[in-house]
């Protein structure tokens, strides 16, 4: 019997890349590849990359550099670059790093097995098209293997918003939604395989229009699936938060009380220059409406500090907005100049200033998150258990609000959804007992 070939995939960037990596591994599974977590054992190495900030993109080149020795030892090792760096810099990757055999952009993954075949005689292959056909419909059906209790499911891709700082509209292309019936079929299949929580993914997931009633319509259909206990979605744009989606947070029990709704900045001047198409006030009113529908909603956000021409006063407006919202979690970044985006042409904020603002912003966010987490002590919440903890007898899972929670109790298994009482709040997780 011949040994199966081995595939090592390293994933960078957002959850959509995580989902795509799974689907690529499955596609290569059809070609006889099994996954390995050791690059030194692999017949094929695939980097699924992110272009969002300069550091993310540079990581790819340093990672590729590490494979020089492996490639020298085994010239038939295939090295591929997928994802957003592949899309943005495909030809440059080929030039800068001759050990790369194959480059595939995010909309062409269904062509990966063909591209691989093309490299068999030492040729190089590059595909960064935005093809007419939908990659997901051309990827083979997902194998029936049992899987863990949580899963990502991409329902929407691409972005038409063109925020002045962002590469995503260029790397992922225009907004496209998958038809609701396909999404529902994939969700039912995931549930049959043991999944109890699905996170719907899209670069602008609430711009979803594959169902006549938009994302809320899709969520209400998903909620009818027996065995599916929890639904989440990410990432949303404030301007695509329609009335029905707001209402769903109040009337759909399976929709979890946690919402990632990036705002990026609190100064109207900066929001305008970012091309976000809304004001700070509009964002705050939107959160008021969401909290009227679901009072315990935990908010999460993304922030950029040091956007071109951001003054100390503009930055203060961001701190004020954060103080008004009280975030349960957040992600914050120093502005990174991206080639080809309008903001890269504007006067830049000095690096030291960006560092200082990021520190102050993160200090405030950390205080808020910690306060909200501490306020959980004594409360009862649902927890979906995912895996054993580090201590014997312990299980770890996520609360309705996405806190990591651990519980020491006999007989708990991954996939169990139980009510717990929070008894302690630590730096990164909560401790609880079953009720
Ligand atoms: N589609 C989502 C997220 C896109 S990228 C949205 O609209 O919110 C994730 C986050 O990366 C963004 O929310 C933003 O905070 C950050 N980001 C994007 N481009 C950036 C850049 N050039 N510099 C720093 N952070 C950036
Ligand atoms: Fe980027 Fe803005 Fe689109 Fe989000 S909405 S992906 S930040 S361009
Ligand atoms: Fe990065 Fe592309 Fe996602 S740039 S954040 S991997 S859409």
């Amino acid at each position: 019997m011949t040994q199966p070939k081995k595939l090592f995939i390293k994933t960078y960037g957002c959850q959509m890349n995580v989902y795509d990596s799974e689907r690529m591994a499955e596609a290569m599974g059809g070609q006889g590849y099994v996954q390995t977590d050791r690059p030194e054992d692999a017949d094929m190495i695939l980097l699924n990359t992110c272009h969002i900030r300069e550091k993310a993109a540079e990581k790819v080149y340093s990672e590729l550099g590490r494979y020089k020795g492996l490639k020298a030892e085994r010239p038939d090792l295939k090295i591929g670059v997928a994802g957003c760096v592949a899309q943005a810099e495909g030809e440059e990757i080929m030039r800068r790093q001759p050990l790369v055999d194959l480059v595939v952009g995010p909309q062409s993954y269904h062509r990966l097995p063909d591209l691989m075949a093309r490299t068999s005689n030492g040729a190089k292959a590059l595909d960064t098209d935005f093809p007419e056909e939908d990659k997901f419909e051309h990827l083979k059906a997902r194998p029936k293997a049992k899987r863990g209790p949580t899963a990502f499911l991409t329902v929407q891709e691409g972005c038409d918003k063109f925020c002045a700082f962002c590469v995503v509209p260029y790397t992922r292309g225009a907004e496209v939604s998958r038809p609701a019936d396909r999404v529902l079929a994939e969700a039912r299949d995931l549930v049959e395989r043991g999944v109890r929580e699905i996170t719907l993914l899209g670069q602008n997931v609430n711009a979803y229009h594959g169902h006549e009633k938009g994302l809320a319509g899709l969520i209400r259909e998903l909620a009818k699936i027996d065995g599916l206990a929890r639904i989440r979605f990410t990432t949303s744009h404030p301007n695509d938060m329609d009335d029905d989606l707001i209402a769903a947070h109040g009337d759909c029990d399976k929709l979890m009380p946690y919402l990632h709704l990036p705002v990026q900045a609190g100064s109207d001047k900066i929001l305008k220059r970012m091309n976000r198409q809304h004001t700070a006030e509009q964002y705050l009113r939107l959160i008021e409406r969401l909290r009227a529908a679901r009072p315990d909603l935990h908010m999460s956000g993304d922030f950029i500090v040091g956007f071109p021409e951001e003054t100390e006063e503009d930055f203060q407006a961001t701190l004020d907005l954060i103080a008004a919202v009280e975030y349960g979690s957040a992600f914050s970044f120093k502005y990174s100049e991206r080639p080809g985006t309008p903001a890269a042409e504007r006067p830049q904020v000095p690096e030291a200033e960006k560092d200082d603002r990021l520190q102050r912003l993160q200090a405030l966010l950390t205080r808020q998150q910690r306060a909200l987490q501490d306020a959980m002590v004594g409360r009862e919440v649902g927890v979906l258990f995912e895996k054993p903890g580090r201590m014997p007898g312990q299980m770890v899972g996520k609360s309705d609000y996405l806190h990591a929670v651990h519980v020491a109790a006999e007989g708990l298994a991954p996939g169990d959804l139980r009510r717990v009482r929070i008894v302690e709040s630590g730096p990164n997780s909560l401790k609880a007992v079953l009720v």
Side-chain angles (χ1 to χ4, degrees):
M1 212 179 87
T2 52
Q3 284 275 338
K5 291 197 168 189
K6 293 198 177 126
L7 168 68
F8 171 78
I9 303 191
K10 185 158 179 160
T11 306
Y12 302 84
C14 63
Q15 292 107 322
M16 301 191 62
N17 267 8
V18 175
Y19 177 82
D20 285 342
S21 289
E22 276 177 24
R23 298 298 305 260
M24 282 192 279
E26 289 165 5
M28 292 309 291
Q31 310 294 308
Y33 280 82
V34 296
Q35 259 183 287
T36 172
D37 47 18
R38 290 164 42 91
E40 50 280 22
D41 293 345
D43 300 285
M44 178 183 186
I45 292 176
L46 191 61
L47 302 183
N48 193 8
T49 61
C50 174
H51 199 243
I52 203 81
R53 285 167 289 274
E54 193 181 349
K55 266 198 194 131
E58 278 307 316
K59 271 189 206 155
V60 177
Y61 292 100
S62 61
E63 186 69 21
L64 285 170
R66 284 201 223 160
Y67 300 142
K68 252 192 199 127
L70 284 180
K71 183 89 173 178
E73 273 169 37
R74 288 189 287 125
D76 51 354
L77 166 68
K78 297 293 175 203
I79 298 183
V81 179
C84 292
V85 181
Q87 189 64 43
E89 304 180 0
E91 312 221 330
E92 193 188 334
I93 296 170
M94 290 280 195
R95 260 199 315 276
R96 256 178 86 174
Q97 201 35 282
L99 51 78
V100 172
D101 299 286
L102 173 161
V103 166
V104 58
Q107 301 311 334
S108 303
Y109 293 154
H110 52 299
R111 298 177 177 170
L112 185 59
D114 287 346
L115 290 169
M116 262 305 276
R118 274 203 256 152
T119 65
S120 59
N121 55 359
K124 309 247 173 197
L126 179 139
D127 188 341
T128 51
D129 289 351
F130 289 107
E132 280 289 311
E133 76 269 14
D134 174 349
K135 68 176 174 192
F136 295 121
E137 301 322 323
H138 285 77
L139 280 164
K140 41 189 258 86
R142 312 197 68 170
K144 292 288 172 199
K146 197 83 186 136
R147 43 178 300 161
T150 64
F152 292 137
L153 205 179
T154 294
V155 301
Q156 183 280 338
E157 283 207 274
C159 180
D160 300 339
K161 303 282 190 291
F162 291 91
C163 299
F165 49 81
C166 184
V167 293
V168 171
Y170 312 98
T171 63
R172 293 274 173 168
E175 285 179 6
V176 188
S177 298
R178 296 177 68 190
D181 55 344
R182 309 277 168 78
V183 173
L184 288 163
E186 191 172 329
R188 282 189 208 101
D189 174 65
L190 288 168
V191 170
E192 276 168 27
R193 290 157 56 197
V195 169
R196 304 208 66 196
E197 172 180 308
I198 290 179
T199 302
L200 305 174
L201 300 181
Q203 264 94 24
N204 271 301
V205 71
N206 58 344
Y208 178 78
H209 53 75
H211 186 281
E212 56 179 8
K213 294 187 176 150
L215 186 65
L218 179 68
I219 289 171
R220 293 183 198 284
E221 294 288 334
L222 282 165
K224 293 180 194 156
I225 300 177
D226 281 336
L228 180 63
R230 289 170 151 191
I231 302 166
R232 303 180 187 276
F233 61 90
T234 198
T235 297
S236 298
H237 191 286
N239 290 355
D240 289 318
M241 212 69 210
D242 64 28
D243 293 348
D244 199 18
L245 192 52
I246 296 174
H249 282 276
D251 63 38
C252 181
D253 293 342
K254 292 187 180 179
L255 184 58
M256 289 293 103
Y258 175 99
L259 179 63
H260 185 64
L261 194 65
V263 64
Q264 317 297 353
S267 142
D268 288 342
K269 176 191 104 189
I270 295 297
L271 285 169
K272 194 160 182 160
R273 292 188 185 179
M274 286 179 162
N275 191 30
R276 291 292 293 184
Q277 311 270 2
H278 63 76
T279 63
E281 189 61 25
Q282 284 166 332
Y283 178 81
L284 292 172
R285 291 293 82 80
L286 176 59
I287 291 179
E288 260 172 26
R289 291 177 60 211
L290 282 156
R291 283 183 169 152
R294 181 78 203 225
D296 60 343
L297 189 67
H298 267 224
M299 290 304 305
S300 165
D302 288 343
F303 298 92
I304 295 177
V305 300
F307 184 79
E309 301 167 281
E310 182 189 70
T311 62
E312 174 61 25
E313 197 187 344
D314 294 322
F315 173 67
Q316 280 298 331
T318 302
L319 296 180
D320 292 345
L321 178 139
I322 292 171
V325 173
E326 295 193 56
Y327 286 92
S329 83
F331 304 87
S332 46
F333 314 97
K334 284 192 285 181
Y335 169 71
S336 169
E337 256 171 89
R338 308 310 290 129
T341 59
E345 311 296 319
R346 309 293 306 167
Q348 301 295 313
V349 171
E351 202 58 26
E353 194 64 53
K354 289 188 200 169
D355 282 325
D356 176 63
R357 289 179 193 167
L358 186 67
Q359 263 189 20
R360 286 149 66 202
L361 183 103
Q362 291 186 337
L364 172 61
L365 286 167
T366 307
R367 275 202 305 281
Q368 280 191 348
Q369 287 164 31
R370 196 58 211 259
L372 276 180
Q373 203 184 293
D374 292 348
M376 293 299 296
V377 175
R379 284 187 52 188
E380 278 186 22
V381 281
V383 171
L384 176 61
F385 290 97
E386 291 175 21
K387 56 180 187 228
R390 260 176 290 157
M391 308 289 178
Q394 202 185 52
M395 282 292 288
V396 187
K398 294 276 164 57
S399 77
D400 300 341
Y401 309 101
L402 218 53
H403 302 107
V405 179
H406 38 117
V407 171
E410 292 296 305
L412 278 176
D416 287 350
L417 181 61
R418 302 287 291 271
R419 297 293 294 175
V420 306
R421 186 171 343 94
I422 308 295
V423 293
E424 205 178 299
S425 164
N428 299 308
S429 66
L430 296 168
K431 202 164 133 187
V433 294
L434 295 179
V435 294

